Amino acid sequence: MSKMLQVKNPATGELVQEVRINTEEEILETLKKGDAAFKDWSKVNAHERSRLLKKWANHIQEHKAEIAKVMTMESGKPINESLGEVDYATSYIDWYAEEAKRIYGRTIPANTESKRIVVTRQPVGLVAAITPWNFPAAMMTRKAAPALAAGCSFIVKPAEDTPLTTIRLVEIAHEAGIPEDVVQCVNGYGSEIGELFTNSDYVRKITFTGSTPVGKHLIKNSADTVKHVSMELGGHAPLIIAEDADLHFAVQQTMSSKFRNAGQTCICANRVLVHENVAKEFSDRLVEEVAKLKVGDGLDKQTQVGPVINERGFEKVVSQIDDATKKGAEVLCGNQFDGNREAGYFFIYPTVLGNVSEDMKMMQEETFGPVVPITTFKDIGEAVQIANSTPYGLAAYFFTNDYRTGSYLHENLDFGIVGWNDGAPSAAHAPFGGMKESGLGREGGIEGIEPYLETKYLSVGGL
Ligand code: SIN
């Protein structure tokens, strides 16, 4: 009897669909096929690869409503956000369909008349991707599109909670004409499939989006076969409000950073640091807006904040709020829950906490929920010190209209992505990725295809 993944809607607990877990033999066979497919796909000319990627993007757009609905049902994400994510996912394919044609080499002047030096780029080989549940479409295409554009073959293992969106994207890739063994999907548990990926000699690159502990494990396990690795790991973004900030605008941007996908993004504001002279006004304005947010089933078009993904996610956020309030945080709004383990739904009402201090768990650990902890600072140097005080370095935000304050913050924040008066910096054409324990490598932009390419240096002598 086959083992199945039960994909359930976290807004209702209802079973959406069962997905068969692939056996070890099947996964090993998939890896073998992926390696064989690489030999052909890497020889397909760049313009043809580009054409097929564009076709994939167009087919995804034709199925936009259907994909978004599946995404909302398996992840709980509000339908408007799921529709937006389908566009966001498509934008990576569009971008890399163009980049496929721009994988340039170079020549280097030799130090003797008898030699010529030529540098070319070639695809690394079969890529194995492990993708997260919070952006089941965009995190897949952000890896698949540059891999395919570079000439790599690709295998994806989607998150156990949200495999359906990815399965559909892979089917659509095949419908668009990308050969079946060039893009494959396998299903099962991350720990088991991760081992098969890292142990395989066929896999030349592992790309992962997920937690820092799992990322570290994959890096260690990739060492024996010296695989390329790209890691987009956890974050703990500070959002700094300087004394001169436009508070109306800063509140709007804080809302869009924090409550996107119910706060379940690696780059969302995890700590809000406000200058003490404007803290009261900022908090009052924020609470007024947060109290208006509509929480509910993502399939309802009015919903702005859906459930969190599962019981584990729910318990983590509840325990962080509990820890903070026990240590003296003040509940400014929220701190209400509607979670039912038996029924299988998990809602956390948007919560704002004041009087937060650095000893609270949520100031050190990623929250992944709709909670805004607010703390204050006296001067911008102190804000930087607090902001940089975790092992994470993915995204940071600040709000100021003073160019000296802005330049100082930009230069001193140890984060890979910095939003200056911008709470929504992600874009297919820009390099996304973290410093410190938030990751290795960049996804998106011209940087995002580099990790799928090897450099080959040819030295021609005897001329
Ligand atoms: C993430 O933070 O989990 C990805 C979000 C994005 O690409 O904007």
Side-chain angles (χ1 to χ4, degrees), residues 113 126 139 147 162 167 180 198 200-202 237 250 359 362 372 403:
E113 289 71 24
L126 171 62
M139 299 304 102
T162 58
I167 291 172
E180 293 206 353
T198 51
S200 170
D201 286 325
Y202 292 129
D359 59 328
M362 67 175 57
V372 189
Y403 77 93

Side-chain angles (χ1 to χ4, degrees), residues 88 92 134-135 139 142 232 260 265-267 394 426 432:
Y88 182 41
Y92 282 99
N134 61 343
F135 290 89
M139 299 304 102
R142 185 149 97 180
E232 202 267 87
R260 176 177 175 222
T265 71
C266 310
I267 59 165
L394 185 57
S426 308
F432 185 109

Side-chain angles (χ1 to χ4, degrees), residues 236 319-320 323 327 359-366:
H236 204 288
S319 83
Q320 284 196 6
D323 169 75
K327 289 177 180 158
D359 59 328
M360 297 174 187
K361 273 202 254 175
M362 67 175 57
M363 293 297 276
Q364 301 301 326
E365 296 170 14
E366 208 173 13

